[in-house]
Amino acid sequence: MAGPPTPLGPGVGPGGGPGAGPPARERADAARNRSRALAAAEELFAEQGVAATTMDAVAARAGVGKGTLYRRFGDKAGLAAALLSERGRELQQGILAGPPPLGPGAPPARRLVAFVEAYLAFQSSRVDLVLLSETGPPGARLRKPSYAFWRQHCTLLLSQAGAPDPALRAEALLASLAAEQVQHWLREGRDPEALRGALTGVAAALVPSRDP
Amino acid sequence: MAGPPTPLGPGVGPGGGPGAGPPARERADAARNRSRALAAAEELFAEQGVAATTMDAVAARAGVGKGTLYRRFGDKAGLAAALLSERGRELQQGILAGPPPLGPGAPPARRLVAFVEAYLAFQSSRVDLVLLSETGPPGARLRKPSYAFWRQHCTLLLSQAGAPDPALRAEALLASLAAEQVQHWLREGRDPEALRGALTGVAAALVPSRDP
DNA sequence: GAAGTTAGCGGACCGCAGTCCGCTTCGTCA
DNA sequence: TGACGAAGCGGACTGCGGTCCGCTAACTTC
């Protein structure tokens, strides 16, 4: 199996401050426009909801051309992903180097359960943003670098735990955790706690139980 | 637990609008236009692929206004669903009244595996059509009557097999079988046979493997 | 500081999904 | 058979996501 998964993709820089520096040299106006766009998007999403916010509106509010928006973020989903990148990075950090059971050190089955819980919490914090970031041409979300990270992590854990077909089971698990599905469950009134319990149960069921 | 699941909606029949109309009498021109539209769609999908076919093109080929198309089928996904409805109904029939292990008579865990195999076969027969039928506003596919049927069937089997959280596990299983996911696996070169084996394995893992 | 290079800008433009509404034609009933 | 109500029609229209390309201004070089 491969080494440590790759981090979140590039192009998603500082949310509102000089926290993380852009990887490559970036022109001054480019940096300025990027933070303007992110700020405008955040505002509009808060004011009128994610679904009702158009890219034209974001561009106008940011005082920027639409072309700029698209060169920077690719598409609407990319814009959402950029807004989520900080939280996503935190979660990735917790997985790679944080304390057990999410981070290294705990037995793989335990880590998998912890991942499910953390991933659910991550999603619940900005449901509609996550949903938007996963919306797009069919299959697009399965090709994004962030998805590759989660997949590889789960694959590794399932493999270590001795589950058959770890790669496929990892994707099956992630399919159950897709934003569309989770939002559907929440909308129809499922108790978040019960949901958490049931989904960790699914994760546990995917590794063979060794009990006599 | 509920009785037998409801069958597919009225085949996306007359009424078109949300809520599905009563199976009322259908006007002659309406019937003629519907079959024309379906024929035109089938042709164009075959000629230039599903993705490249626009609703305008279907309307033009059918010699019908776009409004007619939309009243009849609701949206593009509905058109695809209508083209699939016959096969879907066959599968539903096989579940409700066909021979075991898909139909009644076999133990629930066995029926669940048979369902996964049959559902995969159903999808594989028209991958892109199924994909189109599941494309749309987020969560839309989870609210369609056909989805309700599969969900209820799986829920019932899992419940009979004594699995915990049968309703949620049913949806988790179906999420792994979503067209987007399956098409992704096939596109990336997975062997269909191996896929079938691995996914039935997932289904089996979702029911308790040993008697408590 | 001046000239050159090019990354980046931005808004006009396009294609398509989906809506609207005045007109047509079907089925019915006398 | 003629007339009437309404189910159904259809194409112009809207709104939005995404692209294109001539222009601007930020860095580089001398």
Side-chain angles (χ1 to χ4, degrees):
Chain A
M1 229 28 58
T6 58
L8 263 177
V12 281
R25 225 12 212 120
E26 187 179 29
R27 242 170 66 169
D29 52 348
R32 194 195 57 222
N33 282 335
R34 186 180 56 191
S35 65
R36 273 188 189 175
L38 289 174
E42 191 91 66
E43 287 172 26
L44 287 168
F45 287 164
E47 283 172 21
Q48 40 181 261
V50 165
T53 300
T54 71
M55 292 296 267
D56 287 87
V58 174
R61 170 75 65 107
V64 150
K66 236 206 310 190
T68 305
L69 233 48
Y70 278 95
R71 187 171 335 87
R72 189 63 57 189
F73 303 105
D75 59 6
K76 208 180 176 185
L79 181 56
L83 284 171
L84 284 170
S85 73
E86 190 156 351
R87 289 203 173 237
R89 244 190 286 268
E90 281 170 20
L91 179 51
Q92 293 189 1
Q93 206 50 36
I95 286 169
L96 292 175
L102 182 60
R110 181 71 192 84
R111 287 190 75 193
L112 190 64
V113 166
F115 167 74
V116 168
E117 291 177 337
Y119 190 76
L120 270 175
F122 164 62
Q123 279 192 324
S124 305
S125 67
R126 303 293 295 267
V127 209
D128 46 0
L129 259 192
V130 178
L131 186 61
L132 174 56
S133 81
E134 293 189 0
T135 304
R141 64 171 252 269
L142 303 176
R143 272 176 247 116
K144 302 209 315 188
S146 53
Y147 178 78
F149 180 92
W150 314 128
R151 176 180 53 194
Q152 191 149 356
H153 178 60
C154 292
T155 301
L156 193 66
L157 292 181
L158 284 165
S159 168
Q160 288 171 351
D165 295 303
L168 183 133
R169 290 190 172 200
E171 299 203 80
L173 177 60
L174 287 171
S176 314
L177 295 173
E180 183 182 20
Q181 185 66 62
V182 170
Q183 164 137 320
H184 177 67
W185 279 323
L186 293 175
R187 284 243 172 118
E188 90 186 344
R190 269 187 190 270
D191 171 42
E193 272 313 297
L195 189 60
R196 194 174 60 83
L199 282 170
T200 54
V202 168
L206 288 177
V207 315
S209 73
R210 310 267 174 175
D211 301 344
Chain B
M1 210 49 56
T6 58
L8 261 180
V12 197
R25 270 288 277 146
E26 187 180 27
R27 243 169 67 170
D29 52 348
R32 193 193 58 220
N33 282 335
R34 186 179 55 191
S35 66
R36 274 188 189 174
L38 289 174
E42 191 91 67
E43 287 171 26
L44 287 168
F45 287 164
E47 283 172 21
Q48 40 182 261
V50 165
T53 300
T54 72
M55 291 296 266
D56 286 87
V58 174
R61 170 77 64 107
V64 150
K66 237 208 308 189
T68 304
L69 233 46
Y70 278 95
R71 187 171 336 88
R72 190 62 58 188
F73 302 106
D75 58 8
K76 208 179 176 185
L79 180 57
L83 283 170
L84 285 170
S85 72
E86 189 157 353
R87 287 203 175 237
R89 242 189 286 268
E90 282 169 18
L91 179 51
Q92 292 189 1
Q93 205 51 36
I95 286 169
L96 292 175
L102 182 60
R110 181 72 192 83
R111 288 190 75 194
L112 190 63
V113 167
F115 166 74
V116 168
E117 292 178 336
Y119 190 76
L120 271 176
F122 164 62
Q123 280 192 323
S124 306
S125 67
R126 303 293 295 269
V127 209
D128 46 0
L129 259 193
V130 178
L131 186 61
L132 175 55
S133 81
E134 293 188 0
T135 304
R141 64 170 251 270
L142 304 176
R143 273 176 246 117
K144 302 208 315 188
S146 54
Y147 179 77
F149 181 92
W150 314 128
R151 176 180 53 194
Q152 190 148 358
H153 178 59
C154 292
T155 302
L156 192 66
L157 293 180
L158 284 164
S159 167
Q160 288 172 351
D165 296 302
L168 184 132
R169 290 191 172 200
E171 298 204 80
L173 177 60
L174 287 171
S176 313
L177 295 172
E180 182 180 22
Q181 185 65 63
V182 170
Q183 164 136 321
H184 177 68
W185 279 323
L186 293 176
R187 283 244 173 117
E188 89 184 345
R190 269 187 190 270
D191 172 41
E193 271 313 296
L195 189 60
R196 193 174 60 83
L199 283 171
T200 54
V202 167
L206 288 177
V207 314
S209 54
R210 283 281 145 245
D211 316 55

